[in-house]
């Protein structure tokens, strides 16, 4: 009887867990649909601003051999300069290996750049990076809210102000790119310095076509145009990455909850078989005891 009570208790616990995982899967599915709609609406803009920056950068040689170095966003990267790495994780767990993969990609990038400084997005990020040897400059948490342009603007303003103050000379962003619901890949982009070859590679990595170099004339000056455009470019890139990371997070959580529900169903099936066997054994034993008692009474 004690064994049957233990099995029933385990079954009840798993059934309650199964209700939670199924509910979370439904919620993640609904959020994924919304995230994919946002991604479909944002992705053309995200690609367009990258293409626009590439087109503008391709005309640098019309000004001078040095390029547009007089802009505040064009300065020489010194050997002792720091590198900012923006890492986008989730505000909640239970998303499988989603956050771990972002952490690994960010650490790998940290090992390949000069003096990394971390700028974290998401409540989960500090839990991973607090134990790393790298300095956390700032962290942002929006408590699982849907990414907005205002969120991206807040982060972009902070990053730009730190860059202009000379805290770092390079900026990279690490996020998860969603090719489809079954394929999520941690990816990183170099935001600053603006290098057309890097932008071209990023566009090719997300399935775009090869860009052709173009040349433009700027009025009143290239420096003023760039000083106005680059902050919008940075905000647009951060927003696009945040939206894609949000959709990827919901996809990862949906798959994780589906697997958890499947495992719970399998455990319940096994426990039901064990429970029925133990119950049948108990019933058989009771019948045998009753039959034996009846025979003893009949003999008397």
């Amino acid at each position: 009887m004690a064994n049957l009570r233990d099995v029933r208790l385990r079954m009840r616990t798993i059934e309650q867990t199964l209700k939670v995982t199924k509910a979370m899967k439904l919620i993640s599915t609904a959020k994924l649909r919304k995230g994919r709609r946002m991604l479909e609406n944002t992705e053309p803009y995200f690609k367009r601003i990258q293409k626009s920056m590439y087109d503008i950068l391709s005309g640098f040689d019309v000004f001078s051999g040095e390029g547009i170095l007089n802009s505040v966003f064009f300065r020489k990267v010194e050997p002792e300069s720091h590198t900012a790495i923006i890492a986008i994780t989730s505000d909640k767990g239970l998303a499988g290996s989603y956050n771990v993969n972002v952490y690994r990609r960010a650490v790998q990038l940290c090992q390949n750049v000069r003096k990394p400084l971390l700028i974290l997005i998401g409540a989960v990020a500090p839990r991973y990076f607090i134990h790393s040897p790298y300095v956390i400059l700032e962290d942002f948490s929006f408590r699982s809210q849907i990414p907005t342009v205002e969120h991206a603007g807040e982060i972009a303003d902070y990053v730009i102000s730190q860059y202009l103050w000379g805290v770092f000379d390079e900026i990279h962003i690490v996020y998860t790119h969603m090719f489809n619901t079954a394929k999520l890949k941690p990816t990183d982009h170099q935001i600053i310095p603006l290098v057309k070859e890097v932008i071209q590679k990023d566009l090719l990595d997300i399935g775009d076509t090869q860009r052709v170099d173009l040349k433009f004339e700027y009025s009143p000056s290239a420096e003023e145009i760039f000083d106005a455009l680059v902050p919008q470019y940075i905000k647009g890139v951060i927003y696009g990455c945040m939206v894609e990371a949000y959709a990827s997070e919901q996809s990862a959580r949906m798959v994780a909850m589906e697997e958890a529900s499947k495992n719970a169903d399998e455990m319940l099936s096994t426990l039901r078989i064990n429970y029925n066997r133990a119950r049948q054994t108990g019933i058989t034993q009771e019948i045998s005891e009753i039959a034996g008692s009846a025979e003893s009474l009949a003999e008397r």
Side-chain angles (χ1 to χ4, degrees), residues 8 14 19 39 108 115 140 148 168-169 186 221 259 261 274 287:
R8 279 200 300 266
I14 294 173
K19 290 178 182 178
L39 183 59
Q108 183 182 14
K115 296 183 178 180
F140 296 87
T148 65
F168 42 75
D169 292 330
S221 69
E259 287 298 317
S261 299
N274 293 337
I287 292 173

Side-chain angles (χ1 to χ4, degrees), residues 220-239:
S221 69
E223 288 81 2
E224 292 181 48
I225 296 294
F226 265 72
D227 289 349
L229 286 182
V230 172
Q232 299 302 317
Y233 167 73
I234 293 173
K235 181 170 74 172
V237 170
I238 292 175
Y239 176 63

Side-chain angles (χ1 to χ4, degrees), residues 11 15 39 45 56 97 146 199 211 225 236 265:
M11 290 173 63
E15 286 170 350
L39 183 59
Y45 169 73
I56 296 172
S97 60
I146 296 174
I199 297 176
R211 300 295 292 172
I225 296 294
D265 282 329

Side-chain angles (χ1 to χ4, degrees), residues 112-163:
N112 296 326
V113 299
R114 292 182 296 271
K115 296 183 178 180
L117 299 173
L118 296 173
I119 298 173
L120 307 179
I121 302 175
V124 174
R127 304 178 197 172
Y128 288 93
F129 291 98
I130 196 68
H131 302 294
S132 72
Y134 306 109
V135 176
I136 299 176
L137 190 62
E138 186 59 86
D139 67 274
F140 296 87
S141 174
F142 299 107
R143 300 302 174 191
S144 299
Q145 298 179 31
I146 296 174
T148 65
V149 177
E150 288 73 21
H151 291 157
E154 178 184 341
I155 298 167
D157 289 343
Y158 173 80
V159 170
I160 292 169
S161 66
Q162 298 299 304
Y163 175 80

Side-chain angles (χ1 to χ4, degrees), residues 15-25 94 257 261:
E15 286 170 350
Q16 292 172 350
T17 304
L18 184 59
K19 290 178 182 178
V20 174
T21 56
K22 285 184 175 180
M24 290 189 68
K25 178 189 173 184
L94 299 177
M257 292 302 100
S261 299

